Amino acid sequence: APALAAGETRAFQIAGRCGVPVDAIAVALNVTVTNATAAGSLNVYPGTGPGPATDTVTFATARTRANNTTMTLVGGVLSVADRQESGTVDLVVDVSGYYR
């Protein structure tokens, strides 16, 4: 998919894809950002509604940063909000496990 743009929120269907069972209620994952054209932060949260005010990973321009977390799924989905004021960032989400 294309890079996340500043202010963009994107939802990802996790349950039922890439080995994660449909009935998974949470996932262990690593979130990596790279190729940022400006400093910022990402917020990863369950479902598609508005996210909390806490950041999952913060990053600087042209730096690769990663953070691992355990995230509840709502409807099998998690969302990522790009909190950059300008620019874009590439995102890699690696699921390392799941909970039923």
Side-chain angles (χ1 to χ4, degrees), residues 11-66:
F12 295 92
Q13 179 68 42
I14 303 295
R17 300 221 172 144
C18 299
V20 178
V22 168
D23 61 347
I25 60 170
V27 289
L29 52 96
N30 190 61
V31 179
T32 303
V33 294
T34 191
N35 298 326
T37 61
S41 62
L42 290 182
N43 181 347
V44 180
Y45 59 92
T48 59
T54 56
D55 295 326
T56 304
V57 61
T58 58
F59 50 90
T61 304
R63 296 288 207 177
T64 298
R65 295 284 311 265

Side-chain angles (χ1 to χ4, degrees), residues 3-9 37-39 41-42 59 81-89:
L4 285 171
E8 180 182 0
T9 298
T37 61
S41 62
L42 290 182
F59 50 90
D82 183 350
R83 296 190 176 195
Q84 290 173 294
E85 290 187 24
S86 64
T88 61
V89 65

